Amino acid sequence: MMPLKLANFEMMDDVELARRAARREALAVRIITTRNNQRLFRTAWSVLRHHADAEDVVQEAYLKAFSSIESFSGKSSLSTWLTRIVYNTAIDRQRAIKRRQKELQKKDVAVLDDYQSGYSMESISRSPESEIIRKQFSELLKQSVARLPDEYRSVFVLRDIEGLSISETADSLQVKEATVKSRLFRARRDIRKNLELKFETIFTDTIKFAGADCDAMTNRVLAALGIQS
């Protein structure tokens, strides 16, 4: 039997891809991760607001997912299933960070920089010819999103940046659709109030996880699973 090519895997439905990934077929794992890396990174960032922590959480969530992917039944999309896992993993990481902060504070440790839920812009790739004004606005917008309350930020990232439907967002975050609508309204209102500018056409590029970042994540997951690519 001739080995299947990438194009064959691209045509598979979610259940078949999951079945192949459970058998540790490299192309199945590569397609799943490549398709979902950016959404999952943005989901993790929406909780943690820190690039390195978000990357760690995505990798951890992938390993959790692939260790139990044979249980994927196709009741929701594979992307939604993965998003739910990474969101819950990010929440667990956030709680651990907060516990660590409290421990350090009790010990009167003054420097907590490594445990602050901040972020930096160094990982956002920009071409040399990018306009300065656009870059400055993008940074201000990312800061505005970072300042949203946790529950509003995750809804905003999944709905307005990743383009999930209301029902998909609710399924991913395990909340009611009415809750998604309410939180999204508050998030949009707060951002508009903060910036006094429209954001719909410019934010998609500001929390980027693509290119080399995306490839590196896929390769790390393959290596962690012991799969030869």
Side-chain angles (χ1 to χ4, degrees):
M1 181 182 295
M2 294 290 291
L4 294 177
K5 297 181 180 179
L6 181 62
N8 300 116
F9 283 86
E10 292 280 7
M11 296 174 62
M12 292 177 185
D13 62 22
D14 284 353
V15 173
E16 179 64 13
L17 269 178
R19 187 175 70 84
R20 299 274 183 167
R23 283 161 35 181
R24 296 298 187 262
E25 294 187 30
L27 285 177
V29 174
R30 184 170 292 279
I31 287 173
I32 291 170
T33 53
T34 301
R35 284 178 180 174
N36 291 283
N37 278 340
Q38 180 150 282
R39 176 193 288 188
L40 300 188
F41 172 79
R42 286 172 167 171
T43 301
W45 180 91
S46 77
V47 175
L48 299 165
R49 294 175 290 175
H50 189 279
H51 189 98
D53 285 343
E55 280 199 56
D56 288 346
V57 161
V58 172
Q59 183 169 337
E60 180 183 347
Y62 271 135
L63 297 183
K64 287 180 181 178
F66 285 120
S67 70
S68 61
I69 199 167
E70 66 277 357
S71 68
F72 175 73
S73 62
K75 291 181 180 178
S76 61
S77 71
L78 186 56
S79 291
T80 298
W81 186 73
L82 290 168
T83 301
R84 191 181 306 128
I85 293 172
V86 81
Y87 178 75
N88 289 332
T89 304
I91 291 293
D92 289 342
R93 174 68 65 92
Q94 183 189 53
R95 289 170 179 160
I97 290 171
K98 288 180 178 178
R99 283 196 300 270
R100 180 61 174 157
Q101 285 176 329
K102 289 180 180 179
E103 290 172 6
L104 291 174
Q105 287 166 352
K106 288 178 181 178
K107 295 176 182 178
D108 293 324
V109 177
V111 181
L112 298 175
D113 290 345
D114 291 340
Y115 304 94
Q116 298 294 333
S117 56
Y119 60 87
S120 62
M121 295 291 289
E122 76 279 355
S123 61
I124 300 176
S125 62
R126 296 288 181 184
S127 60
E129 64 274 10
S130 294
E131 296 180 4
I132 294 175
I133 293 177
R134 177 184 172 89
K135 182 176 181 179
Q136 291 175 337
F137 177 74
S138 295
E139 185 169 351
L140 287 172
L141 186 52
K142 185 176 180 182
Q143 291 171 358
S144 295
V145 176
R147 284 195 292 267
L148 288 172
D150 293 348
E151 63 269 24
Y152 299 158
R153 191 185 321 111
S154 295
V155 166
F156 177 83
V157 168
L158 291 179
R159 180 71 179 97
D160 276 358
I161 301 176
E162 283 302 302
L164 273 66
S165 67
I166 293 292
S167 62
E168 287 172 331
T169 303
D171 192 10
S172 295
L173 302 182
Q174 296 178 293
V175 298
K176 295 179 180 179
E177 291 187 17
T179 302
V180 170
K181 293 176 182 178
S182 174
R183 291 177 181 177
L184 183 62
F185 174 81
R186 290 285 300 276
R188 288 171 173 171
R189 187 196 63 184
D190 289 353
I191 288 176
R192 287 194 178 101
K193 183 178 179 181
N194 188 279
L195 293 176
E196 297 182 350
L197 290 168
K198 291 183 179 180
F199 61 83
E200 287 88 348
T201 61
I202 197 168
F203 190 72
T204 303
D205 190 42
T206 66
I207 308 176
K208 182 175 285 187
F209 193 76
D213 285 335
C214 181
D215 291 341
M217 175 62 71
T218 293
N219 291 333
R220 286 200 301 273
V221 172
L222 285 166
L225 293 171
I227 299 174
Q228 295 265 335
S229 59

